[in-house]
Amino acid sequence: MSSLRFICQRCSQPLKLNQSMETSQEPEALMLISAQGEPGETQEGGPPSREEADFENLQEGVSYRTLPGLPGGRMSWDNSDNFTLLGYLGSLRTLNSIQKAASDIFDILSDETDVDHPLCEDCTDNLLEQLDIHLTVTDSEIQNYKRCLETRELISEERETLQEKLKGLELEETRLVQELEEVEKNRERAAADLEAAQAETEMLDQQEKQYQKDYSKLKWQQLELHDELSSVEKRLWYAQIQWNQLEKTSVFNATFEIWHDGPLTTINNFRLGCLPTDPVCWNEINIAWGQTALLLLALSNTIGLEFQRYRLIPCGNHSYLKSLTGDCIELPLFSNGKQNVFLHNKFDQAMMAFLDCMQQFKELAEKGGSGLCLPYKIHAKKGLMEDPGSSGGFYSIRTHLNTEEGWTKALKLMLINFKCSLTWVSLRYCQK
C-alpha cells in the first residue's frame, strides 16, 4: 500500500487515488524503502546518499499540519503546487521523479481548467453539474448569436432605406433647428417686450396707487364738505325758522311786557305804584319808571319824534328828564319816598314833564288815516289822566295833595295807553 496521499482542493478531504496510479508507483517505492531503510540513514551507518538528501530536503521544504485519523499520526504539508503528501514518503523510485510526476499531472489539470486539482468524487460531480449548466447557457448564447446574425442580414437589406430616412430626418432636423433659432429670437423679443410691459405695469400701478390716495383724500374732503354743507343747511333752516318767528314777533312786545291785574300795573315784572294794602318799595317803583322812560324813548325814535321841551335820559332806577329851556334843570324820575306830599317837589315835576312828552307822542301818532287812538285822555298841563268810562273821573299823576290809590290809578291808566301804543307801533312800523 503506497504512503502517497492527497486532499481535495475544495472540501479539504483526504483523497484515495485511482488503483492504476497506486500500482504503478508501489513496487518501486517498496524497493526504495527496502534498499535505503529509514530516511536520513544509510545501510551501514555511513553518510546519506544523494537521493536520501533530496528526500530530507523535500520534507524540510514543506509545511506540516496534522490530519486526524491518518495512519502513523504523521504530518501533512502543502507546496506551491497546491497538493499535500500524507504519511511517510517512502517506497518511491526517486524523490525527483515522484515530485515531478505529481506536479506535472496536477499542473496540467489546473492549467486546463478554472479549478485546482486534485478533487474528490463529490466535488467532481458538483463541478460537472456546474459545467453542464454553463454549457447550457453557452448553447443558449450561441443560438442568440445565430439569430442576431440572421437579423443582421435582414437589417443590411433595410440599411439603404434607413439611410434615406436618416437623410430626410437630418434635413428635417436642420429645418427644425432653423425654426428653433427663429423661435428663440422671437422668445428674446417677447422677453424684452414682457420686461418693458412689466416696467410699464409697475409705473401704472404706482400711478394707480397715487390716484387712489388722491381720490381717497378728495373723497374725504367731499364728505367733510358734505357734512359741513348739511350743518350749514340745518343752521340756515334753523335761522330761517328763527327769522320767521322774529318777523312775527314784536320787538316792543318782547322787550316791554305790560300787564295789569287788579289796581297795580307791572312793566317787565316791576310794579309801578303802591297801595296801603299792597305796599311796594321805592327801588322797584324807580326801576319801573326807568323801564317806562326807555319805552317812551324807543317809541318816539321809531316814529321820528323829537321832544320839544324835555329830553328823556333812561338810567334804570335813576332815570331823569333834562329841561331844554334856559335853566337846563334835571328832573329826577325816581324818589326815596321821603318827599312831603304837601309840598311841590321835583319828583312831581318830572312825572308831569314825562306826561308832557307822552302827550307829544300821542299828538304825532294820531295824525294820518291810521292814527293812534288811546283809550285814556291825557291832560299834560294839569298832570291828569282822564277815565272816560262810567266813573268819568280824573286822576292826578302827582303825589302832592294826592292819595296812593289815586296816584296808582293814574299810573295804571298811563301804562294801559303805553300798551296800546306798543301794539300800534308794532303793527305799523315793525312789519315794514
Side-chain angles (χ1 to χ4, degrees):
M1 192 67 181
S2 175
S3 61
L4 182 63
R5 294 291 183 267
F6 297 92
I7 63 173
C8 180
Q9 297 299 308
R10 281 180 174 249
C11 63
S12 299
Q13 295 294 327
L15 297 179
K16 182 178 181 181
L17 296 178
N18 193 1
Q19 188 69 27
S20 61
M21 294 181 65
E22 294 180 355
T23 55
S24 62
Q25 296 179 358
E26 187 177 4
E28 296 180 359
L30 292 175
M31 290 174 66
L32 181 60
I33 293 172
S34 62
Q36 295 180 353
E38 289 298 326
E41 296 182 358
T42 60
Q43 293 178 357
E44 297 179 353
S49 65
R50 183 176 180 273
E51 294 177 352
E52 292 176 350
D54 293 337
F55 176 74
E56 290 177 358
N57 292 332
L58 178 63
Q59 287 181 340
E60 291 176 356
V62 298
S63 60
Y64 287 89
R65 63 187 180 96
T66 303
L67 294 177
L70 292 179
R74 299 295 294 172
M75 303 293 293
S76 66
W77 61 91
D78 295 335
N79 64 358
S80 59
D81 294 328
N82 294 326
F83 69 92
T84 303
L85 295 178
L86 300 177
Y88 289 105
L89 185 61
S91 65
L92 296 177
R93 289 173 297 179
T94 61
L95 292 176
N96 289 332
S97 63
I98 295 172
Q99 182 179 5
K100 188 175 186 305
S103 177
D104 290 341
I105 291 172
F106 292 123
D107 285 343
I108 292 170
L109 293 175
S110 298
D111 291 338
E112 291 296 329
T113 63
D114 294 334
V115 182
D116 291 336
H117 289 275
L119 295 175
C120 64
E121 184 178 358
D122 294 336
C123 292
T124 302
D125 294 338
N126 189 12
L127 178 61
L128 291 175
E129 290 178 359
Q130 293 180 1
L131 291 175
D132 290 337
I133 294 172
H134 183 68
L135 180 60
T136 304
V137 173
T138 304
D139 291 337
S140 178
E141 291 179 353
I142 291 172
Q143 296 297 326
N144 291 333
Y145 290 151
K146 288 180 179 180
R147 285 193 295 271
C148 289
L149 290 174
E150 293 176 358
T151 305
R152 183 178 180 183
E153 292 177 357
L154 296 175
I155 291 174
S156 62
E157 296 177 357
E158 298 178 355
R159 182 176 298 176
E160 295 180 358
T161 305
L162 293 176
Q163 287 180 352
E164 292 178 359
K165 290 183 179 180
L166 179 61
K167 291 180 180 179
L169 292 175
E170 289 177 351
L171 293 176
E172 183 70 17
E173 181 184 5
T174 304
R175 185 182 63 81
L176 292 176
V177 168
Q178 294 177 356
E179 290 182 359
L180 180 61
E181 292 177 354
E182 186 66 25
V183 169
E184 186 67 23
K185 292 180 181 179
N186 293 333
R187 188 189 67 80
E188 293 177 356
R189 288 194 295 269
D193 295 339
L194 178 61
E195 185 177 358
Q198 288 177 350
E200 185 178 1
T201 302
E202 291 179 358
M203 183 183 66
L204 293 176
D205 290 339
Q206 293 178 357
Q207 291 180 356
E208 183 181 3
K209 291 179 181 179
Q210 185 64 34
Y211 292 155
Q212 188 67 28
K213 290 180 181 179
D214 296 340
Y215 171 76
S216 300
K217 185 177 180 180
L218 293 175
K219 188 67 176 179
W220 180 259
Q221 293 178 357
Q222 180 186 5
L223 293 176
E224 289 182 344
L225 292 175
H226 185 269
D227 293 340
E228 186 177 356
L229 178 62
S230 300
S231 177
V232 171
E233 288 178 351
K234 290 181 180 179
R235 285 184 290 176
L236 180 61
W237 172 76
Y238 180 75
Q240 187 68 34
I241 293 176
Q242 295 295 322
W243 172 259
N244 294 333
Q245 292 180 354
L246 290 175
E247 282 185 342
K248 297 177 182 179
T249 302
S250 174
V251 178
F252 291 102
N253 290 331
T255 307
F256 302 98
E257 182 180 358
I258 298 174
W259 184 255
H260 60 90
D261 185 11
L264 290 177
T265 309
T266 61
I267 177 170
N268 293 338
N269 295 325
F270 296 106
R271 293 172 292 181
L272 186 60
C274 63
L275 293 172
T277 59
D278 191 6
V280 180
C281 65
W282 278 102
N283 187 35
E284 184 178 354
I285 295 172
N286 294 334
I287 294 174
W289 269 115
Q291 294 293 318
T292 306
L294 182 62
L295 172 60
L296 179 58
L297 182 62
L299 293 174
S300 62
N301 291 332
T302 302
I303 65 176
L305 172 63
E306 293 184 1
F307 298 113
Q308 300 297 324
R309 291 171 290 275
Y310 301 97
R311 186 175 65 181
L312 279 172
I313 303 176
C315 293
N317 58 352
H318 285 77
S319 301
Y320 61 93
L321 288 87
K322 189 173 183 180
S323 176
L324 298 179
T325 59
D327 51 3
C328 295
I329 60 174
E330 294 181 359
L331 302 175
L333 202 57
F334 57 91
S335 176
N336 54 7
K338 297 180 180 180
Q339 70 272 13
N340 192 343
V341 296
F342 298 102
L343 297 177
H344 192 68
N345 53 68
K346 288 185 177 182
F347 179 60
D348 289 341
Q349 293 178 7
M351 288 187 290
M352 292 181 66
F354 183 83
L355 202 60
D356 180 67
C357 293
M358 187 176 179
Q359 180 67 29
Q360 295 179 37
F361 170 77
K362 174 180 175 299
E363 291 175 356
L364 182 61
E366 287 179 348
K367 294 180 180 180
S370 59
L372 174 63
C373 181
L374 296 178
Y376 302 106
K377 294 182 180 180
I378 301 172
H379 300 279
K381 293 182 179 181
K382 297 180 179 181
L384 299 175
M385 294 295 298
E386 180 182 356
D387 183 8
S390 59
S391 59
F394 292 89
Y395 301 94
S396 176
I397 201 171
R398 295 182 297 174
T399 59
H400 179 62
L401 299 176
N402 197 0
T403 61
E404 291 180 353
E405 291 83 353
W407 180 62
T408 301
K409 181 67 173 180
L411 295 176
K412 178 180 179 180
L413 298 178
M414 181 187 68
L415 287 178
I416 292 173
N417 283 342
F418 272 120
K419 187 172 184 179
C420 295
S421 300
L422 282 174
T423 304
W424 178 79
V425 171
S426 298
L427 293 175
R428 184 169 182 178
Y429 293 95
C430 294
Q431 289 182 359
K432 294 181 180 180

